[in-house]
Amino acid sequence: MIIFNLSSYNPGRFILMGIPGLEQFHVWIGIPFCIIYIVAVMGNCILLYLIAVERSLHKPMFFFLSMLAMRDLILSTTTMPKTLSIFWLGAREITFPGCLTQMFFLHFSTALDSAILMAMAFDRYVAICSPLRYTTILTPKTIIKIVMGITFRSFCIILPAVFLLTRLPFCRTRIIPHTYCEHIGVARLACADISINIWFGFCVPVMTVMSDVILIGVSYTFILCAVFRLPSQEARQKALGTCGSHVCVILMFYTPAFFSILAHRFGHNISHTFHIMFANLYIVIPPSLNPIVYGVKTKQINGKVILLFSTKCME
């Protein structure tokens, strides 16, 4: 309701064009995107179900993992249904409040993902560097404070972007050459100075991501120091094994994120079609891979998934 009330000046409807240059292939492009989206929804729902019903998974690490799964559902569901309706039904129109809502949840979930990965790095740091104090440090009260803190931070980071867009007059074209609404893409349609929008859209994500990456790097520096002090090779492998899935998810999130930020700011020679296709893949592929990575690399989840499906098959 907050986002809908922010728009005192409503410029009407916008037109989302999909992927420019590939309009004749939209129907076919939609098929793999739909399959990946279904995998993302099913994988994350199964993950949330297992964490909710299995008492052995009621631990801080899996609580943060459930937050990551909910974030993945928010991110993919914010954009993909509308994208598929553009590809298959030609439903290109979107209202200004609808555009703001989509933009808010898109950027909010991205900022929240970075914060969750930072919280998970702290969880691994405590588990490996102070295993005897793990339950006393990461108490339920502390976890709630962490969750409220990273959610509030993500909200405060993204909310100004909504105000920056509502102040702009849109008196030229309302055609957005994209499959969804994002801050700079909408701001560029305005017939006013958007310097503040451009700098906010570049500096805030870079500063947020860089601060999270630095804190994650510090956590893993301490983790590696603690691991290499362990007496046996088996103990070192076991300790590093608990971090494997987290490192994979970090790489899947930050590598394309840095590429996307830098490409939008400096990649003027990269075709717009490539930008749009890459942005859509970034929206849907990590949410579909995250539950698979954790399902394969985390023994507790792997065993529960096998047990769940074997029970269903026997029934």
Side-chain angles (χ1 to χ4, degrees):
M1 291 300 294
I2 294 174
I3 294 175
F4 284 90
N5 292 334
L6 288 173
S7 181
S8 58
Y9 170 63
N10 193 328
R13 295 178 179 272
F14 289 95
I15 306 295
L16 294 166
M17 294 304 296
I19 304 176
L22 298 177
E23 289 86 355
Q24 66 271 32
F25 302 112
H26 274 178
V27 174
W28 300 105
I29 293 172
I31 295 172
F33 275 108
C34 181
I35 293 171
I36 297 170
Y37 173 60
I38 291 171
V39 170
V41 172
M42 290 182 62
N44 285 290
C45 285
I46 290 171
L47 199 59
L48 287 170
Y49 171 77
L50 288 174
I51 293 172
V53 301
E54 292 293 340
R55 293 187 63 84
S56 62
L57 300 180
H58 292 178
K59 298 176 182 177
M61 182 180 88
F62 297 108
F63 184 81
F64 291 129
L65 181 56
S66 67
M67 275 195 71
L68 187 66
M70 285 188 284
R71 172 266 171 195
D72 286 341
L73 288 172
I74 292 171
L75 176 64
S76 55
T77 304
T78 296
T79 56
M80 201 45 54
K82 181 61 180 177
T83 298
L84 294 175
S85 71
I86 294 169
F87 288 163
W88 290 341
L89 305 176
R92 293 185 168 89
E93 286 192 352
I94 186 170
T95 63
F96 185 59
C99 193
L100 287 179
T101 304
Q102 188 183 59
M103 183 213 74
F104 174 82
F105 282 106
L106 170 71
H107 295 308
F108 170 76
S109 59
T110 304
L112 185 61
D113 194 340
S114 183
I116 293 170
L117 292 176
M118 179 180 64
M120 294 174 81
F122 176 69
D123 169 80
R124 291 299 83 204
Y125 161 74
V126 176
I128 293 173
C129 297
S130 302
L132 298 178
R133 299 174 58 207
Y134 182 73
T135 55
T136 57
I137 293 175
L138 288 175
T139 61
K141 188 175 181 180
T142 302
I143 293 170
I144 290 171
K145 288 180 180 179
I146 292 173
V147 170
M148 292 180 64
I150 62 178
T151 304
F152 183 70
R153 189 199 75 161
S154 302
F155 179 84
C156 292
I157 287 170
I158 302 305
L159 189 62
V162 177
F163 286 104
L164 289 173
L165 282 181
T166 56
R167 72 182 179 88
L168 295 174
F170 296 89
C171 50
R172 294 200 295 260
T173 180
R174 291 172 189 166
I175 297 175
I176 303 173
H178 212 308
T179 57
Y180 55 79
C181 297
E182 51 93 17
H183 177 220
I184 298 300
V186 177
R188 284 185 176 137
L189 302 180
C191 47
D193 182 33
I194 61 168
S195 300
I196 298 175
N197 297 73
I198 291 173
W199 282 108
F200 180 87
F202 176 71
C203 294
V204 171
V206 169
M207 290 171 62
T208 303
V209 169
M210 285 302 298
S211 63
D212 291 346
V213 167
I214 289 170
L215 291 172
I216 290 171
V218 170
S219 295
Y220 270 94
T221 300
F222 285 116
I223 287 171
L224 289 174
C225 290
V227 167
F228 288 125
R229 285 198 298 266
L230 294 174
S232 67
Q233 180 72 18
E234 184 181 352
R236 288 195 288 268
Q237 288 180 349
K238 185 178 179 181
L240 289 175
T242 63
C243 302
S245 51
H246 184 232
V247 171
C248 289
V249 172
I250 287 172
L251 293 175
M252 284 193 298
F253 174 76
Y254 285 114
T255 303
F258 276 117
F259 175 81
S260 181
I261 291 171
L262 294 175
H264 272 88
R265 189 71 181 90
F266 305 108
H268 304 297
N269 296 325
I270 301 175
S271 70
H272 190 63
T273 300
F274 177 81
H275 275 296
I276 305 304
M277 182 65 80
F278 182 83
N280 279 277
L281 290 173
Y282 179 62
I283 290 296
V284 75
I285 287 182
S288 65
L289 290 181
N290 287 347
I292 295 173
V293 168
Y294 274 98
V296 171
K297 285 190 166 290
T298 308
K299 289 182 179 179
Q300 298 98 315
I301 295 176
N302 193 324
K304 299 301 180 184
V305 170
I306 293 172
L307 182 63
L308 174 67
F309 284 100
S310 62
T311 304
K312 294 292 183 184
C313 290
M314 289 174 66
E315 291 176 357

